[in-house]
Amino acid sequence: MTTALITGSTAGIGAAFARRLAADGHDLVLVARDTTRLHEQATELHDRHGVEVEVLTADLAEDKGIETVADRLGGRKKPVDLLINNAGFGNKGRYLDVSMTDELRMLKVHCEAVLRLTSAASAAMRERGRGGVVNVASVAAFLPRGTYGASKAWVVQFTQGAAKDLAGSGVRLMALCPGFVRTEFHQRAGMGTDNIPGWMWLDADKLVAAALADLARGKSLSIPDPRYKALMGLVKVAPRGLMGGISSRTGRKYGPQ
């Protein structure tokens, strides 16, 4: 039986990964900031699936939180075989409307924490000759959409580059790029979602199933839905200036309200 560690596990995509991996028989290490929700989630998954569930309370916007999780990933006792770097958030407002403190906090969680946790996990996995890392990014990585999109673009480039460097080591790395998913993400960021067309929404459980299938196939990039694959294909061939204008208008229409 293998062990998976999931950051941001108590809601949204992270919770969907926890449900699926527990159902598949994986023991879990759940990471989030809310201790009460972590223990409730751990009890539910243990009782339903009979797996062992460990909880780690950690804020990945703080060095101490990152260090706590990195230490667990590098530990030799009950080693982690699969890391899901899912923790993340959005800021409400355009560039210069968001405080520098909040912008830097986002980069800490989306970039620095992902780098440090991926490195801690991958080093330990390479020693054992097996393991996997899924870094949750976004289709926003392919569009010029401020700090959020830039941070997710970094996640994609970093993950694919590291995957090439670790080829043949037994360690698989994959960037997961979903579109709009029905989670608490937008509510927490204070973003309105009433204007988002129904066809653009993805189901978190189906997304996770597709992502795990892509990881098993050895993909370093997963866009887990035909609709978004088609949209991202158009992004690749469209002039960047045009996409910047469309992205800006779309952000005003479908973004923070």
Side-chain angles (χ1 to χ4, degrees):
M1 185 175 291
T2 58
T3 299
L5 185 149
I6 306 165
T7 69
S9 70
T10 55
I13 295 173
F17 267 111
R19 290 192 297 270
R20 172 58 187 266
L21 292 169
D24 287 348
H26 296 271
D27 289 340
L28 301 176
V29 182
L30 305 177
V31 179
R33 294 178 297 170
D34 190 325
T35 303
T36 300
R37 288 185 72 177
L38 277 172
H39 282 288
E40 290 173 351
Q41 183 185 28
T43 299
E44 178 184 354
L45 292 173
H46 169 74
D47 291 349
R48 178 172 297 181
H49 301 290
V51 296
E52 295 301 316
V53 186
E54 177 185 346
V55 301
L56 282 181
T57 303
D59 184 351
L60 298 183
E62 304 290 338
D63 283 330
K64 182 178 180 181
I66 297 174
E67 290 165 4
T68 296
V69 182
D71 287 344
R72 178 62 183 86
L73 289 167
R76 295 182 180 276
K77 183 179 180 181
K78 202 165 182 56
V80 172
D81 305 282
L82 176 63
L83 166 63
I84 310 294
N85 267 320
N86 168 73
F89 62 94
N91 287 321
K92 181 178 180 178
R94 301 181 189 180
Y95 175 60
L96 295 184
D97 292 336
V98 179
S99 71
M100 185 56 63
T101 297
D102 288 340
E103 294 277 44
L104 291 173
R105 184 169 173 266
M106 175 180 285
L107 293 176
K108 186 88 169 181
V109 175
H110 289 185
C111 300
E112 182 179 341
V114 168
L115 170 63
R116 292 168 64 180
L117 299 186
T118 299
S119 298
S122 297
M125 292 172 182
R126 185 170 61 177
E127 286 186 6
R128 300 191 299 273
R130 68 181 188 279
V133 178
V134 176
N135 290 329
V136 179
S138 168
V139 293
F142 308 109
L143 298 167
R145 285 299 302 153
T147 305
Y148 181 82
S151 68
K152 293 304 186 179
W154 181 89
V155 171
V156 171
Q157 293 297 317
F158 161 69
T159 303
Q160 292 196 289
K164 289 182 179 179
D165 287 343
L166 290 174
S169 69
V171 183
R172 296 177 178 178
L173 278 75
M174 185 183 79
L176 171 60
C177 296
F180 289 108
V181 185
R182 295 196 183 278
T183 69
E184 297 177 11
F185 177 90
H186 297 90
Q187 181 182 358
R188 287 181 174 182
M191 298 177 181
T193 59
D194 292 342
N195 291 331
I196 300 173
W199 67 267
M200 295 185 75
W201 287 106
L202 304 179
D203 176 80
D205 293 314
K206 292 179 180 178
L207 182 153
V208 164
L212 291 174
D214 282 345
L215 181 67
R217 295 187 188 103
K219 292 188 176 182
S220 64
L221 176 67
S222 173
I223 302 175
D225 185 87
R227 293 164 290 181
Y228 279 98
K229 287 177 182 176
L231 285 174
M232 293 307 103
L234 291 175
V235 168
K236 289 181 180 179
V237 299
R240 188 162 181 82
L242 173 64
M243 291 311 303
I246 293 174
S247 176
S248 180
R249 292 192 297 273
T250 302
R252 287 195 293 271
K253 184 175 182 181
Y254 299 143
Q257 303 291 325

